[in-house]
Amino acid sequence: MRELPLEAPDFATIRQLGDYYADKTQFLYHIARRPTTCFLSRPRRFGKTFLLSTLKYLLEGRRDLFKGLWIDKSDYNWTPYPVIKLEMNTVIANNAAVMEKRLSNLLLSLVRQEEKKEEKEKEAKAAKEKEEKEKKGEKEEKWEKEAKAAKEKEEKAAREKEKLNWITPGDILIWLISHLYENSGQKVAILIDEYDAPIVKHIINPPKAEEFREALNDFYAMLKTNIEKIGHIFITGVSRFTKTSIFSKLNNLKDITFNERYAAICGLTEADLDDLLSDREDQTLAAFIEKGVMLPGSDGADLRNLIRDWYDGYSWDGKTRVYNPWSHLSCLDDAEISDYWYDSGTPSFLVDLGLEGKVKFDWLKDIPNITKSKNVIDKIEKIPPEVLLFQTGYLTVKETLPKLGALKNYRLDFPNLEVRAALIPLSLSITPPENAHLASGLATRLRDSLFSLDAKGLEEAFSQYLAQFPYDDSLELESHFSTLLQSALMMAKQEFNTQEHSLHGRLDIHLTSPKGDEHIIELKVYREKKPETGSLGPPKNEEEKAKLLKAMAPSAQRALNQITTYYADKFTGGPNRVVLTALVIARRNVILAKFKVLEGKLT
């Protein structure tokens, strides 16, 4: 059984170990076969770094690593090119000066690698020449050795003198490009991974982000000065900042983010899932059942459906769907359903925006469409929410809509349950649940119990759902519990309205069931006198819980009366039932649910 490549971002390592590899070489063929300048935007943890690692070895002509893959059977010519690969997430810093220092160190390490490589090549060449002379019975004269040593010393001194002129990272980059070009006789390939990482790190602080953008402008502009010595340029990132010199200085830059040909260049396809499960399906299914993730009797189709619901659904053309590779592989490795991507790949700025209420829940109920031209960031301080969430992977293209003039138009939505479970709480300014898979299942059970008028099921599901979220006494407000109920309904993909106006006030939540029943929900918090020290914990036994529920009953009746008196008349008189629901919460997650059904007009 092939190992899953969770912690190996290097293509050569995976191929040498024989680990699982989803063949992406048919996409790279079109990029590598002739000099191109491309930009690709994909979210974090989506395989961009590994893609560039693969492209690096391909451009270096390492055919031995590609045996058996698609490109090995193609007409690709395998010409080796010198490659400069920069991983910009390694130079992130708190100020631009430190970032530039780290970038200089990164480039200097590449210079040292090149010098060591050249030194080894010279030594190998000298050893070969010596061996050939010895075979011929010739000896190297002393003066020849001294002349060679003097020449090498002179070349080294000249190189060190050139280094004294290096002031900025751009100076080092220019020298490195020229040196590689002159030594190899081939144009240099430039691969830049996460070009925007230093900017995105500070996106919530526009002045700071702008400082990094200006510093990177100067560096990336150096590519233009040496463009005649550069062949391939491939750049990845999360966001496209229009005022960054990569986009303003480079001619003929092709943005392949929405290009249908490259829709599956990152991520795993349905065929990849079949390939992955070909030698591990039975073992994975058994582990899922043993851990209670799936019910006994589940089969391979059930397993695929579960993984698909949680991790599939990403698209950049509205047609091709791909799985999040990190979550997909982690799920199979752990035999668990969890929010792997949120835990490992969510930018802290997005969490901050959500908890500060800047990514609004009401907005998520009616997500705007996006055009290709809108998927750029001009002013850092005015980033459209749909652009931010799309670029960071919380929204994806669901379908391609009719064009707006000459521009392609896309409908956005949540890609899958993993993202839905993470983003919905953030949009409501609450911390995500501790177990997203369990919370999602409880949300569905809550919705179904509500529509079937199962009071006990609703009480249990809502109580267990609340237990998935961090809590403190200061949050014991009706608005907080209303927010959590809204998050459950959103996780269950149930449409609803909040704070609807009537002649007598605003109701809490209104929704319509698939059968057409109108449901009106009113929440109340039952407040007991707290002890002088400590806090009220959960009931110690069933007798104490029954006593508490009895004390909560009048609050439930008042909630039903409130709906009947002030809100219900807006919905009665039609052919469908009107269902009034009172939900009373005590001691964080002790729930009492009461229903009242109105048939037709009020009397």
Side-chain angles (χ1 to χ4, degrees):
M1 188 165 62
R2 294 161 296 177
E3 291 293 324
L4 301 177
L6 284 167
E7 300 297 338
D10 182 68
F11 174 75
T13 302
I14 285 177
R15 295 294 289 167
Q16 290 161 356
L17 291 174
D19 291 353
Y20 173 78
Y21 170 66
D23 191 351
K24 301 293 182 181
T25 57
Q26 67 270 36
F27 303 109
L28 295 178
Y29 169 84
H30 297 288
I31 292 167
R33 65 176 178 163
R34 62 169 58 94
T36 52
T37 301
C38 294
F39 170 74
L40 175 70
S41 170
R42 288 295 186 268
R44 308 284 176 201
R45 284 290 194 178
F46 230 86
K48 298 190 300 297
T49 299
F50 185 77
L51 182 73
L52 284 196
S53 172
T54 309
L55 181 56
K56 174 181 179 289
Y57 289 109
L58 181 61
L59 291 171
E60 289 176 342
R62 292 288 306 277
R63 190 169 188 172
D64 58 303
L65 297 174
F66 293 84
K67 291 295 182 184
L69 299 181
W70 183 94
I71 202 164
D72 185 42
K73 304 164 190 174
S74 73
D75 60 355
Y76 184 70
N77 63 23
W78 298 99
T79 300
Y81 299 96
V83 179
I84 297 174
K85 181 171 176 280
L86 300 176
E87 295 183 10
M88 298 303 289
N89 60 351
T90 64
V91 303
I92 291 173
N94 289 324
N95 64 70
V98 174
M99 180 203 70
E100 289 183 319
K101 179 64 175 176
R102 290 177 179 174
L103 184 53
S104 292
N105 289 338
L106 173 61
L107 288 161
L108 287 171
S109 70
L110 297 179
V111 170
R112 286 191 289 270
Q113 287 177 23
E114 183 60 25
E115 289 175 339
K116 287 180 181 178
K117 178 184 173 184
E118 290 174 7
E119 190 65 33
K120 286 183 179 179
E121 289 173 350
K122 284 181 180 179
E123 290 175 357
K125 184 180 178 181
K128 187 176 181 180
E129 289 176 350
K130 183 180 179 182
E131 183 181 350
E132 289 175 352
K133 282 189 175 184
E134 287 176 350
K135 284 181 180 179
K136 295 177 182 178
E138 299 175 359
K139 290 185 178 181
E140 189 174 41
E141 299 293 337
K142 183 179 179 181
W143 67 267
E144 288 181 301
K145 291 182 181 180
E146 291 175 348
K148 283 182 181 179
K151 185 179 179 182
E152 289 175 2
K153 186 177 180 181
E154 184 179 333
E155 288 175 350
K156 187 174 181 180
R159 185 179 298 176
E160 294 302 318
K161 188 175 180 180
E162 283 183 340
K163 291 180 181 179
L164 295 175
N165 296 321
W166 295 351
I167 299 174
T168 68
D171 296 331
I172 307 174
L173 180 63
I174 289 174
W175 183 90
L176 188 56
I177 292 171
S178 297
H179 184 75
L180 290 171
Y181 174 73
E182 290 163 6
N183 275 20
S184 67
Q186 294 283 357
K187 290 191 174 184
V188 181
I190 306 291
L191 309 181
I192 302 177
D193 188 30
E194 305 282 14
Y195 89 98
D196 56 342
I199 304 172
V200 171
K201 175 69 176 177
H202 301 282
I203 202 78
I204 201 170
N205 183 348
K208 177 70 73 173
E210 191 62 42
E211 174 190 342
F212 281 87
R213 177 157 68 173
E214 290 176 2
L216 288 173
N217 263 343
D218 296 337
F219 175 69
Y220 292 136
M222 294 298 103
L223 295 175
K224 178 73 172 179
T225 65
N226 260 18
I227 201 67
E228 74 282 355
K229 299 175 183 177
I230 298 173
H232 301 79
I233 299 178
F234 196 89
I235 303 159
T236 73
V238 170
S239 301
R240 176 167 174 163
F241 294 96
T242 56
K243 292 181 180 178
T244 305
S245 54
I246 272 187
F247 301 106
S248 59
K249 301 286 186 183
L250 294 179
N251 297 328
N252 303 316
L253 175 68
K254 185 177 183 180
D255 186 344
I256 62 172
T257 300
F258 292 97
N259 191 307
E260 291 182 15
R261 170 183 278 180
Y262 302 102
I265 193 171
C266 289
L268 300 175
T269 64
E270 198 69 34
D272 294 329
L273 175 59
D274 290 338
D275 187 22
L276 269 167
L277 290 176
S278 64
D279 59 1
R280 65 178 66 240
E281 181 175 312
D282 292 342
Q283 176 185 326
T284 303
L285 184 59
F288 269 58
I289 293 172
E290 181 182 351
K291 293 183 178 182
V293 179
M294 299 182 71
L295 296 174
S298 299
D299 58 19
D302 298 322
L303 175 65
R304 283 170 168 78
N305 288 334
L306 179 64
I307 297 173
R308 187 179 300 116
D309 287 345
W310 271 86
Y311 305 121
D312 193 16
Y314 286 94
S315 180
W316 282 266
D317 66 351
K319 301 173 185 176
T320 306
R321 307 287 172 193
V322 294
Y323 290 80
N324 179 315
W326 174 253
S327 298
H328 188 172
L329 296 175
S330 297
C331 164
L332 293 179
D333 191 54
D334 293 347
E336 286 279 6
I337 295 294
S338 185
D339 46 357
Y340 297 103
W341 181 67
Y342 176 83
D343 285 343
S344 67
T346 298
S348 59
F349 75 84
L350 189 57
V351 176
D352 294 338
L353 288 173
L355 295 179
E356 289 178 13
K358 294 179 181 178
V359 177
K360 293 292 187 180
F361 158 73
D362 288 338
W363 176 87
L364 286 173
K365 290 170 67 180
D366 188 18
I367 300 169
N369 300 327
I370 192 173
T371 63
K372 184 175 178 181
S373 67
K374 283 185 179 178
N375 188 43
V376 297
I377 295 176
D378 183 21
K379 296 182 178 180
I380 292 175
E381 67 277 9
K382 293 182 180 180
I383 305 174
E386 66 272 20
V387 172
L388 180 69
L389 294 172
F390 172 68
Q391 292 181 347
T392 51
Y394 281 89
L395 295 175
T396 197
V397 174
K398 280 298 178 181
E399 64 175 324
T400 302
L401 302 172
K403 286 186 175 181
L404 290 176
L407 298 174
K408 280 190 174 181
N409 192 25
Y410 303 98
R411 182 174 72 83
L412 303 180
D413 202 353
F414 299 114
N416 50 46
L417 285 176
E418 181 187 29
V419 173
R420 182 180 288 271
L423 183 58
I424 288 168
L426 280 179
S427 71
L428 296 166
S429 302
I430 54 179
T431 304
E434 296 174 2
N435 187 325
H437 179 223
L438 178 58
S440 179
L442 290 169
T444 301
R445 183 181 166 200
L446 183 156
R447 178 203 61 196
D448 294 345
S449 297
L450 177 67
F451 288 154
S452 63
L453 307 190
D454 176 4
K456 185 173 179 59
L458 177 57
E459 290 169 355
E460 291 177 351
F462 194 23
S463 175
Q464 292 173 31
Y465 182 80
L466 293 177
Q468 302 306 309
F469 293 83
Y471 177 82
D472 64 66
D473 291 341
S474 65
L475 298 176
E476 200 160 284
L477 303 169
E478 288 176 13
S479 59
H480 174 69
F481 292 112
S482 176
T483 295
L484 288 168
L485 178 58
Q486 292 170 41
S487 73
L489 293 172
M490 282 193 74
M491 280 195 196
K493 302 182 182 179
Q494 176 60 48
E495 294 184 0
F496 60 91
N497 293 315
T498 61
Q499 299 296 304
E500 280 190 28
H501 288 269
S502 73
L503 292 175
H504 306 288
R506 294 184 295 181
L507 57 82
D508 283 350
I509 297 175
H510 163 236
L511 60 157
T512 305
S513 75
K515 294 181 179 180
D517 294 341
E518 303 292 348
H519 288 256
I520 307 170
I521 303 174
E522 183 70 24
L523 285 91
K524 299 291 182 187
V525 172
Y526 177 74
R527 292 181 173 82
E528 302 171 83
K529 185 177 180 181
K530 294 184 178 181
E532 293 182 4
T533 58
S535 60
L536 288 166
K540 297 176 182 178
N541 50 51
E542 288 300 315
E543 182 180 353
E544 184 179 339
K545 182 178 180 180
K547 185 178 179 180
L548 176 58
L549 289 171
K550 184 177 181 180
M552 294 162 64
S555 295
Q557 188 58 51
R558 283 194 294 273
L560 292 174
N561 293 342
Q562 181 178 338
I563 302 173
T564 304
T565 304
Y566 298 119
Y567 313 133
D569 56 353
K570 179 179 177 179
F571 304 97
T572 55
N576 299 317
R577 298 188 305 176
V578 178
V579 180
L580 318 185
T581 304
L583 283 174
V584 183
I585 302 101
R587 301 191 192 181
R588 179 187 178 186
N589 62 348
V590 176
I591 311 295
L592 176 64
K594 294 289 183 183
F595 295 109
K596 179 179 179 180
V597 180
L598 304 180
E599 308 282 354
K601 293 184 177 181
L602 284 174
T603 57

